Amino acid sequence: MQDAVNEVAAEDLTQGQWFWHEPVPGLAGWPLQVATAELLEDAVCIITTDEVRELVSYSRTRRVRLAAAS
């Protein structure tokens, strides 16, 4: 069981916050930092500070695990 305190809805991520990007369940994830986030009708597009994985998009209600600052 995951700790709900360490998770937020993707739409609640804020600038500067670190989160675990897990592309699909079962694949290894890695920490990313939010540079900006744009809310769309049913998704959130997150521009990250990572040069390789600069843009990720999630359903607004997807639960995202928070990460400690790297």
Side-chain angles (χ1 to χ4, degrees), residues 7-36:
E7 290 184 348
V8 296
E11 68 184 356
D12 293 331
L13 287 170
T14 59
Q15 183 178 15
Q17 204 164 27
W18 286 87
F19 66 99
W20 281 96
H21 171 62
E22 296 166 336
V24 293
L27 285 182
W30 57 91
L32 294 175
Q33 185 179 31
V34 177
T36 63

Side-chain angles (χ1 to χ4, degrees), residues 17-60:
Q17 204 164 27
W18 286 87
F19 66 99
W20 281 96
H21 171 62
E22 296 166 336
V24 293
L27 285 182
W30 57 91
L32 294 175
Q33 185 179 31
V34 177
T36 63
E38 179 183 356
L39 296 177
L40 305 175
E41 187 174 322
D42 60 351
V44 57
C45 290
I46 302 164
I47 304 295
T48 73
T49 59
D50 189 275
E51 293 177 7
V52 175
R53 187 68 173 184
E54 184 179 20
L55 172 68
V56 295
S57 181
Y58 297 132
S59 161
R60 289 178 68 154

